[in-house]
């Protein structure tokens, strides 16, 4: 085995997203060379986070959410480079993708890991979030390679002490029509307006107590003054006051702003899961 840690990176538009950078930061803690795999451009931008080699596929069919096909591609890459561990972000897509990889390899997988410690005998002692982050579990992870996802915002994304100039290694997996039997139809993204809720450093959240969709205009005014983004609780999106893309919580976005201002929100655990990293 190469002994490297292979990190699955999402880089929409050629820019690695925040959760992928957190996964790269976590991977450096395994004290092994860090390599990355991504579907599209952006590999040359990963040197700041210590990536030595970026394995990049430009197969246009893999650009969208096609978990089975991506898993087949990653398994082929694993067989080629023999990493000691494979790490992905603990997003919905990251957990789904690595679960497909684990099933194809017949190996165990640990989701939402926040800390890891080698035992010197080939196993990893891990700590991971369970029950929506309300408890932490210590466990041993076996398997070859070790497969794990990193809990969102459990690790701050930090550049490596010394930047590298990663080699970008093209790879073209051999895929069949069966690998693409599950795919999402093309989705037209809503026009971006204001600050992204996922990346905002200040977020104003509203709940049932705001009273109505129209009343969110006051939160919009406050957010405008603070340079903030506006989000909501599940009941707000269920009522149609805000789109689902604005939902903060266990079944919505998990955010990590410097400041979170909650207005008219009861503080149920499902919502707290989404903003506890603030």
């Amino acid at each position: 085995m190469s002994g490297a840690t292979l990190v699955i990176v999402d880089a929409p538009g050629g820019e690695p997203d925040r959760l992928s950078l957190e996964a790269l930061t976590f991977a450096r803690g395994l004290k092994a060379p860090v390599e990355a795999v991504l579907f599209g451009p952006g590999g040359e931008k990963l040197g700041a986070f210590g990536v030595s080699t970026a394995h990049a596929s430009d197969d246009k069919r893999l650009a969208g959410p096609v978990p089975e096909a991506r898993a087949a591609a990653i398994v082929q890459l694993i067989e080629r480079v023999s990493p000691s561990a494979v790490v992905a972000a603990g997003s919905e897509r990251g957990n789904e993708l690595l679960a497909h990889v684990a099933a194809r390899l017949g190996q165990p997988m640990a989701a939402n890991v926040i800390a890891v410690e080698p035992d010197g005998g080939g196993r990893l002692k891990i700590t991971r979030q369970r029950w929506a982050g309300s408890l932490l579990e210590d466990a041993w992870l076996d398997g070859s390679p070790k497969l794990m996802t990193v809990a969102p915002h459990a690790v701050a994304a930090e550049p490596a002490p010394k930047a590298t100039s990663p080699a970008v290694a093209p790879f073209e997996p051999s895929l069949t029509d069966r690998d693409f039997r599950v795919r999402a139809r093309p989705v037209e993204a809503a026009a971006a307006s204001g600050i992204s809720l996922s990346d905002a450093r200040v977020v104003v959240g509203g709940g049932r107590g705001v009273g109505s969709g129209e009343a969110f205009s006051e939160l919009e005014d406050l957010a405008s003054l603070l340079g903030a983004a506006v989000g909501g609780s599940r009941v707000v999106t269920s009522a149609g006051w805000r789109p689902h893309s604005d939902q903060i919580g266990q079944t919505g976005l998990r955010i990590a702003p410097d400041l979170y201002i909650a207005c008219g929100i009861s503080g149920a655990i499902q919502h707290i899961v989404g903003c506890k990293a603030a």
Side-chain angles (χ1 to χ4, degrees):
M1 300 182 71
S2 69
T5 298
L6 182 65
V7 181
I8 302 170
V9 172
D10 275 327
E15 293 292 336
D17 65 15
R18 183 175 181 180
L19 294 184
S20 294
L21 296 181
E22 292 176 3
L24 288 169
T25 303
F26 175 90
R28 295 202 308 271
L30 295 175
K31 307 301 183 184
V34 176
E35 299 184 8
V37 54
L38 65 166
F39 302 96
E44 70 283 351
K45 299 180 180 180
L46 302 178
F49 283 80
V51 172
S52 59
T53 303
H55 305 275
S57 171
D58 61 2
D59 189 331
K60 303 302 182 186
R61 299 175 299 169
L62 294 170
V66 283
E68 288 190 76
R70 285 192 172 193
I74 291 169
V75 167
Q76 291 178 32
L77 183 63
I78 289 172
E79 292 171 348
R80 182 189 306 176
V81 303
S82 300
S84 58
V86 181
V87 175
S91 60
E92 289 183 359
R93 287 189 181 182
N95 284 325
E96 178 186 27
L97 176 56
L98 206 61
H100 277 286
V101 171
R104 286 174 176 266
L105 293 175
Q107 297 293 335
M109 167 206 159
N112 296 316
V113 175
I114 65 171
V116 62
E117 179 183 344
D119 76 339
R123 298 194 303 171
L124 293 179
K125 181 179 180 181
I126 62 170
T127 302
R128 63 176 184 153
Q129 295 179 353
R130 296 293 303 274
W131 295 98
S134 60
L135 64 84
L136 300 179
E137 174 190 75
D138 289 329
W140 293 103
L141 178 62
D142 296 296
S144 179
K146 308 293 189 299
L147 305 175
M148 67 195 94
T149 63
V150 184
H153 309 312
V155 178
E158 296 180 353
K162 184 177 181 180
T164 61
S165 296
V168 178
F171 88 98
E172 298 303 328
S174 176
L175 303 172
T176 67
D177 290 342
R178 180 177 175 82
D179 295 321
F180 291 93
R181 60 182 176 171
V182 177
R183 69 176 74 194
R185 292 182 177 180
V187 177
E188 184 176 344
S193 59
I195 300 170
S196 165
L197 186 59
S198 298
D199 299 326
R201 307 318 304 173
V202 179
V203 173
V204 179
R208 187 196 306 270
V210 173
S212 68
E214 292 73 20
F216 266 81
S217 62
E218 296 184 31
L219 273 62
E220 295 280 5
D221 291 342
L222 175 59
S224 178
L225 292 171
L226 298 175
V230 175
S233 62
R234 182 191 58 78
V235 68
V236 164
T237 59
S238 296
W241 296 354
R242 304 289 295 189
H244 177 71
S245 58
D246 286 355
Q247 182 182 332
I248 300 166
Q250 184 176 355
T251 55
L253 289 174
R254 302 193 182 194
I255 59 174
D258 295 329
L259 174 64
Y260 181 56
I261 302 173
C263 305
I265 294 176
S266 66
I269 181 60
Q270 290 84 356
H271 182 75
I272 296 302
V273 166
C275 61
K276 66 186 299 182

